């Protein structure tokens, strides 16, 4: 039995803080998360209301209840209660309804009249004129949801992530939600823009809280977040995606032998490390091409390819079409 084959940790590894390492990787992954094309609405309702939201593949929904109570009803009939101060993030953009109570009739949110309140924010008022104050005040957003380097995480996320005022896993989120409530209720100048930014922060914090709470025992990349040895290598990949990595170099980042690293990576992530590196590059390439409008040759150089032809072949193999057609992709 050789020492290299059974090597699990080196003295250097034990000096590292596993929590810090995983936190660094989570931070790196969250930095790549993007919410684009956001459209928000502040909704004021009477005691009875029902609003429907259609399937939006590639998008996410965000709901925050500032005043009153609402229920999210998903297609499978599952109900999620949102009390005042609670928020829900729906990363898959699935069809659902926002109701005052179960079984209430609803109509599509797009059929409600909306008045502009600011850039990308409008107001919907369904509160009857006979009511002195609205029974519920809700801030809702629909946005293109790009996970960047966390694409593998997205499919493992639940349909609805709820963070309420009692949630132990979201301590840093509560002040953000309190700030949103104050902005919504006060209606001060510029509140719409501030709300939009706070909502993006809240969405990222909900995703982080889900990861920190164990990700519902999900596997793959999420399991790697809890493995400080793999987290080191994956963090290195995400920080230097254009480097021409070898398995031996990644194993050295993890302070384990090459064979131990390769087996552990394959078992945990579900693919070899160099394939993960290639798919990561292509996800980043797609982001640069479609949203940041970077030219193909610049993207190729930035991601470590010596020729545009080699980059184009890799892009087509992973994404399914040449990079020139990436800007037309949904």
């Amino acid at each position: 039995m050789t020492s290299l084959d059974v090597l699990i940790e080196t003295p250097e590894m034990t000096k590292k803080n596993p929590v810090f390492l995983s936190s660094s990787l989570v931070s790196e992954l969250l930095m790549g998360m993007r919410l684009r094309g956001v459209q928000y609405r502040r909704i004021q309702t009477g005691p009875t209301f029902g609003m429907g939201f259609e399937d939006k593949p590639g998008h996410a929904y965000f709901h925050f209840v500032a005043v009153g109570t609402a229920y999210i009803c998903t297609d499978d009939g599952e109900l999620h209660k949102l009390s005042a101060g609670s928020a829900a993030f729906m990363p898959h953009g699935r069809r659902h309804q926002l109701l005052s109570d179960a079984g209430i009739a609803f109509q599509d949110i797009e059929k409600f009249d909306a008045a502009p309140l600011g850039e990308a924010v409008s107001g919907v008022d369904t509160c009857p004129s006979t009511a002195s104050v609205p029974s519920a005040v809700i801030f809702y957003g629909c946005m293109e949801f790009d996970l960047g380097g966390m694409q593998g995480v997205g499919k493992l996320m639940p349909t609805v992530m709820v963070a309420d005022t009692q949630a132990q896993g979201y301590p840093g989120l509560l002040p953000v939600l309190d700030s949103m409530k104050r902005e919504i209720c006060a209606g001060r100048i510029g509140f719409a823009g501030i709300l939009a930014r706070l909502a993006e922060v809240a969405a990222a914090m909900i995703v982080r809280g889900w990861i920190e709470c164990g990700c519902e025992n999900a596997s793959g990349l999420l399991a790697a977040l809890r493995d400080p040895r793999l987290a080191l290598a994956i963090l290195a990949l995400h920080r230097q995606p254009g480097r021409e990595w070898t398995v031996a170099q990644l194993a050295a980042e993890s302070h384990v032998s090459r064979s131990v690293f390769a087996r552990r990576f394959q078992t945990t992530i579900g693919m070899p490390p160099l394939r993960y590196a290639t798919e990561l590059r292509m996800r980043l390439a797609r982001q640069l091409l479609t949203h940041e409008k970077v030219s193909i040759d610049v993207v190729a150089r930035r991601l470590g390819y010596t020729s545009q032809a080699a980059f184009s072949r890799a892009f087509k193999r992973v994404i399914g079409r040449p990079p020139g057609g990436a800007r037309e992709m949904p």
Side-chain angles (χ1 to χ4, degrees):
M1 185 168 58
T2 65
S3 60
L4 281 179
D5 281 340
V6 298
L7 179 63
I8 298 300
E9 295 186 4
T10 67
E12 289 80 7
M13 182 64 222
T14 58
K15 293 178 184 177
K16 303 288 186 179
N17 182 338
V19 175
F20 171 76
L21 293 171
S22 296
S23 175
S24 296
L25 179 53
V26 172
S27 296
E28 191 74 22
L29 293 172
L30 288 175
M31 283 177 64
M33 193 178 89
R34 296 288 184 273
L35 301 174
R36 298 187 179 89
V38 184
Q39 292 294 321
Y40 289 112
R41 292 182 184 176
R42 185 184 68 180
I43 304 169
Q44 297 186 160
T45 77
T48 301
F49 60 87
M51 291 160 280
F53 303 83
E54 288 300 310
D55 266 327
K56 289 277 185 105
H59 289 68
Y61 285 109
F62 175 82
H63 297 294
F64 171 66
V65 178
V67 175
T69 301
Y71 291 86
I72 292 177
C73 181
T74 58
D75 262 3
D76 58 7
E78 188 174 351
L79 283 175
H80 300 267
K81 184 178 180 179
L82 299 181
S83 303
S86 300
F89 186 62
M90 304 182 67
H92 305 291
R94 299 275 171 78
R95 180 184 294 108
H96 64 285
Q97 297 86 47
L98 201 60
L99 311 171
S100 56
D101 207 344
I104 297 294
F106 64 91
Q107 71 178 62
D108 191 283
I109 186 66
E110 300 300 330
K111 294 183 179 179
F112 290 93
D113 292 333
L117 297 177
E119 185 179 356
V121 183
S122 56
V124 174
D125 192 348
T126 66
C127 186
S129 57
T130 54
S132 56
V133 295
S135 298
V137 179
I138 302 164
F139 187 63
Y140 135 76
C142 181
M143 62 215 76
E144 182 183 345
F145 187 38
D146 186 346
L147 279 163
M150 286 200 301
Q151 292 296 339
V153 176
K155 61 185 178 183
L156 302 173
M157 290 179 179
T159 302
V160 183
M161 298 177 177
V162 176
D164 58 37
T165 53
Q166 306 302 316
Q168 299 299 313
Y170 306 92
L173 176 62
L174 301 184
V176 176
L177 298 182
D178 285 342
S179 295
M180 291 183 68
K181 181 175 180 177
R182 287 195 295 271
E183 291 295 334
I184 289 173
C185 295
R188 296 172 59 191
I189 185 171
F191 82 97
I194 292 173
L195 269 177
R197 287 164 177 77
L198 287 172
E200 292 190 34
V201 173
M205 295 183 79
I206 290 172
V207 172
R208 181 184 67 178
W210 175 71
I211 293 172
E212 289 179 335
C213 289
C215 319
E216 300 178 351
N217 298 316
S219 58
L221 179 57
L222 297 176
L225 296 176
R226 300 190 289 271
D227 186 324
R229 287 155 292 189
L230 288 183
L232 277 168
I234 295 172
L235 181 60
L237 279 170
H238 281 258
R239 285 181 171 172
Q240 300 181 67
R243 178 175 170 179
E244 192 173 348
W245 290 98
T246 66
V247 176
Q249 289 169 338
L250 291 170
E253 292 286 335
S254 295
H255 303 289
V256 299
S257 72
R258 184 187 185 283
S259 58
V260 168
F261 172 76
R263 286 198 303 270
R264 198 177 193 93
F265 198 100
Q266 175 73 50
T267 300
T268 305
I269 302 295
M271 67 177 70
L274 296 188
R275 177 182 164 191
Y276 179 91
T278 299
E279 293 194 3
L280 170 63
R281 288 191 195 101
M282 295 308 105
R283 289 196 297 268
L284 294 175
R286 179 177 174 179
Q287 188 177 83
L288 290 168
L289 291 167
T290 57
H291 299 295
E292 299 181 31
K293 308 303 181 185
V294 180
S295 66
I296 296 174
D297 61 323
V298 170
V299 172
R301 289 197 303 272
R302 190 179 297 183
L303 295 178
Y305 286 87
T306 55
S307 73
Q308 185 174 319
F311 165 72
S312 296
R313 287 194 297 270
F315 189 93
K316 184 174 182 179
R317 184 172 67 251
V318 173
I319 303 299
R321 66 173 70 183
R327 291 183 174 89
E328 286 73 45
M329 296 178 73

